[in-house]
Amino acid sequence: MGMSVTIGLADHQDAEQILKLQYLCYQSEAELYGDYSIEPLTETLAAARAEISETCVLVARLGPEVVGAVRGRVDADGTACIGRLIVHPRMQRHGLGGRLLVAIEDRLAAERAAARYRLFTGHRSEGNLRLYRRLGYAPVSTEQVSRHLSLITLEKEAPASVAAAV
């Protein structure tokens, strides 16, 4: 019988595994846009540790191995900003990205009173866009960052029952 993937809060000890996985996962994004200087590839271990202590960071584990992660924070207006959703390439296309996204939404609504969720991705990142749309996100704006990259911001409202329960 195989192990199942569990999702829980990250701690400082996870920072190095998260950073290594992030570096692996963002290679394809960097290649897609011809830019290897994107922030997920240049983030330091100190910055990753700070993010873990200052925001909500969830990890997906297969045994002791971190195979996925996602980060989120809630602004004063109740908008949850979600980012750095990563899943190990060998674990992709099995629903883990969706599980992580739903888990962070639930946690941010329950613990930090999120009223809506916001995230962004590059215009060529079709897999990301498909996932976000399938989970109810809709594009709200597009910002041209460079000649080769436009960022699409997507949002969705938190379910009333979750927002009201807080």
Side-chain angles (χ1 to χ4, degrees), residues 52-66:
I52 288 170
S53 65
E54 296 166 7
T55 66
C56 181
V57 180
L58 299 182
V59 291
R61 298 178 198 283
L62 183 61
E65 181 187 7
V66 172

Side-chain angles (χ1 to χ4, degrees), residues 86-97:
I86 54 174
V87 174
H88 194 288
R90 76 172 191 274
M91 303 291 292
Q92 291 176 4
R93 305 211 189 331
H94 298 287
L96 185 53

Side-chain angles (χ1 to χ4, degrees), residues 22 27 33 43 52 54 72 75-76 97 114 131 147 159 163:
Q22 179 176 294
Q27 292 297 313
Y33 297 102
E43 184 177 29
I52 288 170
E54 296 166 7
D75 292 343
L131 172 65
R147 209 175 82 211

